Amino acid sequence: MVCPFCKVLNEKPNEIIKNNKNTFVILSNPRLMPGHILIIPKRHVERLSDLTMEERNELFDEAIKCEEMVLKKIASGCDISQHYRPFIKQNNLKVNHLHMHIRPRESEDELFEKVQKYETNVFTELKKDEFNKYKKLLSN
């Protein structure tokens, strides 16, 4: 499957909202809510650790700029996320090219009503033995 983000960069430049040296910004399609933005490195990589320091800095600088723009012009809140899920095949909702999501949010918006109001049933209290296990694994 051809990477849809590389295709936008190389064949559909009119879909690009902002074009930087190492990153570009587009509106997510499909989207979760109006104003859902994607920040994408120009170089095709899959993980944050694959980025050069220059690419990483630009990616996060652009995320900050987009967050500020969303908070100033679109919504009172904002979700920022990045997902690495190699266990899911690339499809219309999952692309194997690193990208960050900037999602405008409001209290009890459509995403909250459909999904996040059930979060309390998903989270589990962190037990001491689990804490100790992951502290040991992650601190070395």
Side-chain angles (χ1 to χ4, degrees):
M1 179 177 202
V2 174
C3 173
F5 297 156
C6 291
K7 189 171 185 170
V8 167
L9 183 62
N10 296 314
E11 299 175 21
K12 300 178 180 182
N14 60 325
E15 293 182 15
I16 297 173
I17 295 171
K18 190 169 182 186
N19 202 345
N20 301 310
K21 180 180 176 185
N22 298 297
T23 61
F24 63 102
V25 179
I26 63 173
L27 288 170
S28 183
N29 187 16
R31 62 160 178 77
L32 277 175
M33 66 276 301
H36 180 170
I37 299 167
L38 301 178
I39 306 164
I40 308 160
K42 288 183 175 179
R43 189 167 63 92
H44 185 101
V45 298
E46 292 189 34
R47 299 177 0 184
L48 287 168
S49 61
D50 294 334
L51 294 171
T52 66
M53 189 58 70
E54 182 181 22
E55 291 168 329
R56 191 179 311 167
N57 288 341
E58 187 175 301
L59 181 72
F60 281 93
D61 287 348
E62 192 58 43
I64 292 166
K65 289 175 190 173
C66 288
E67 176 189 42
E68 292 301 317
M69 181 179 52
V70 164
L71 294 175
K72 184 176 183 180
K73 298 181 177 185
I74 300 174
S76 63
C78 183
D79 284 349
I80 300 175
S81 63
Q82 184 277 322
H83 313 276
Y84 177 60
R85 297 176 179 155
F87 47 85
I88 301 174
K89 287 186 176 185
Q90 183 166 288
N91 60 48
N92 190 38
L93 296 176
K94 197 270 185 185
V95 178
N96 295 334
H97 186 140
L98 175 75
H99 56 286
M100 292 186 76
H101 295 264
I102 309 290
R103 297 182 188 103
R105 298 299 306 273
E106 297 293 345
S107 176
E108 299 187 17
D109 58 17
E110 185 178 359
L111 184 60
F112 175 83
E113 288 299 320
K114 289 182 176 177
V115 178
Q116 292 183 309
K117 69 180 178 181
Y118 303 106
E119 276 186 350
T120 56
N121 298 329
V122 176
F123 284 86
T124 303
E125 285 295 318
L126 179 62
K127 305 279 192 259
K128 185 71 171 166
D129 60 334
E130 182 183 2
F131 171 82
N132 291 332
K133 173 185 174 182
Y134 284 97
K135 180 180 179 184
K136 184 176 181 179
L137 284 171
L138 298 171
S139 62
N140 293 332

